[in-house]
Amino acid sequence: MGAPEFNPMEIDLSLAKRIAAARRLVALTGAGVSAESGLPTFRGAGGQWNNMRPEQLATAEGFRADPKMVWSWYQHRRRAYRLAAPNAGHLALAELGTILPSVTIATQNVDRLHQRAGSRQVIELHGNVVENHCMRCNEPAGEVSLESDELQACRHCGGWLRPSVVWFGEMLPVEALESASEAAAAADVFLSIGTSAQVYPAAQLPALAQHNGALLIEINPEPTPLSHLAEAVFRAPSAQVLPALVKAIRQVS
Ligand code: BV8
Ligand code: ZN
């Protein structure tokens, strides 16, 4: 018997009370939290990019093998991110940050929608897709124009530019992983939202929090390898659950 599944529209007030009492709430978010902003997830239904797997595209080998294809995948995504807007789930998390003493968002997403929604404590575990750097000499190259999908050459050495995201097989930024791990270990409430919990080391964070005594809650329409660890599960879209959760927390506060 897994964790009790809560109806997202009638938030159990005793659960809301426990979240309202959180001194340190941490949320791990994945592509699912941006689904209602119209951005496709990687692995769910309607996954990205005529179902090429991110493990092939989001790698240095994939880029070296076909830089044009991988670069245009990122240009396509950057244009989509620019047109997208934070959804009710992003906004509810930002509002939660104004109600509770400490809300930290450790995101695997590179779309910056949490920041655009107003969340202030955001840790970007997988980098961001705004900046670029040289594949050959690592020279930072900042933003590039989204007008064309032409490969851009480093003005320093002529190597190809790549997005400054963390690819598979690459280390996560040390300070990001350290602060996310410290936050998870100290959390009294941990929300795992819109992630299939398959990509490590990010997927380790919910278990780390739960192991240190946090109340672990999963918000995802589908079960994940994490579901059995969660004390409460909302099997519904985050843009529905998060506003209902914030409303219930306000009611009991
Ligand atoms: C590293 C950035 C080592 C760029 C990304 C075997 C076992 C264990 C680990 C490994 C292994 N083989 C290889 C590894 C390591 C690998 C890994 O974990 N692979 C997995 C696939 C097995 N990890 C790495 O390579 C990491 N680095 O380990 O380095 C190392 C050590 C020392 C020295 C050098 C190196 C690097 C991982 C980072 C990879 N970069 N992206 C980019 O975005 O393009 S990962 C990519 O997947 C995205 O960032 C994405 O965020 C991430 C995770 O996916 P999710 O966000 O969870 O999205 P997904 O589509 O999977 O799921 C969406 C969920 O939302 C679904 O559950 C769905 O039900 C739900 N949903 C849908 N709609 C909604 C919703 N939820 C709520 N509301 C809705 N409306
Ligand atoms: Zn260079």
Side-chain angles (χ1 to χ4, degrees):
M1 171 61 185
E5 296 201 358
F6 286 91
N7 173 331
M9 299 342 279
E10 304 138 29
I11 303 287
D12 173 87
L13 291 186
S14 63
L15 182 71
K17 276 202 185 92
R18 292 176 68 190
I19 303 171
R23 292 180 318 288
R24 285 178 301 281
L25 182 139
V26 177
L28 171 69
T29 64
V33 83
S34 297
E36 277 130 313
S37 294
L39 298 175
T41 61
F42 289 88
R43 298 173 185 83
Q48 292 240 9
W49 205 247
N50 36 353
N51 57 49
M52 292 283 284
R53 297 187 55 71
E55 289 78 8
Q56 279 161 334
L57 285 171
T59 62
E61 300 72 39
F63 182 78
R64 269 193 283 276
D66 190 343
K68 270 181 147 358
M69 199 253 282
V70 175
W71 180 257
S72 58
W73 180 48
Y74 281 95
Q75 290 295 78
H76 163 84
R77 285 172 60 192
R78 293 194 247 228
R79 286 188 284 267
Y81 293 161
R82 191 169 280 181
L83 292 173
N87 62 56
H90 294 110
L91 295 168
L93 278 175
E95 186 183 342
L96 199 56
T98 66
I99 303 172
L100 299 182
S102 164
V103 170
T104 304
I105 298 178
T107 187
Q108 300 170 88
N109 300 335
V110 294
D111 55 33
R112 295 211 148 160
L113 287 178
H114 286 302
Q115 293 92 328
R116 283 174 50 197
S119 287
R120 279 189 305 290
Q121 283 167 261
V122 181
I123 301 170
E124 295 184 315
L125 294 167
H126 294 162
N128 72 79
V129 85
V130 174
E131 269 105 42
N132 299 271
H133 61 272
C134 176
M135 192 69 187
R136 190 187 295 164
C137 73
N138 270 328
E139 163 94 355
E143 288 193 55
V144 295
S145 147
L146 300 186
E147 291 307 306
S148 91
D149 283 9
E150 287 309 304
L151 284 167
Q152 309 279 314
C154 162
R155 64 181 180 342
H156 199 63
C157 77
W160 294 133
L161 297 188
R162 55 157 288 179
S164 298
V165 296
V166 177
W167 275 338
F168 286 99
E170 295 182 333
M171 287 282 278
L172 275 58
V174 175
E175 64 289 342
L177 185 56
E178 253 168 26
S179 46
S181 307
E182 275 159 29
D188 38 17
V189 175
F190 194 100
L191 309 179
S192 181
I193 312 169
T195 181
S196 60
Q198 289 173 44
V199 174
Y200 285 81
Q204 200 61 44
L205 295 170
L208 172 64
Q210 204 259 353
H211 181 77
N212 283 275
L215 160 61
L216 176 58
I217 297 170
E218 179 174 71
I219 301 173
N220 190 326
E222 307 284 329
T224 73
L226 217 61
S227 304
H228 71 286
L229 274 182
E231 200 169 322
V233 163
F234 291 98
R235 280 279 168 262
S238 47
Q240 272 178 37
V241 175
L242 288 166
L245 206 50
V246 169
K247 190 162 157 261
I249 289 166
R250 281 195 181 287
Q251 249 174 297
V252 299
S253 300

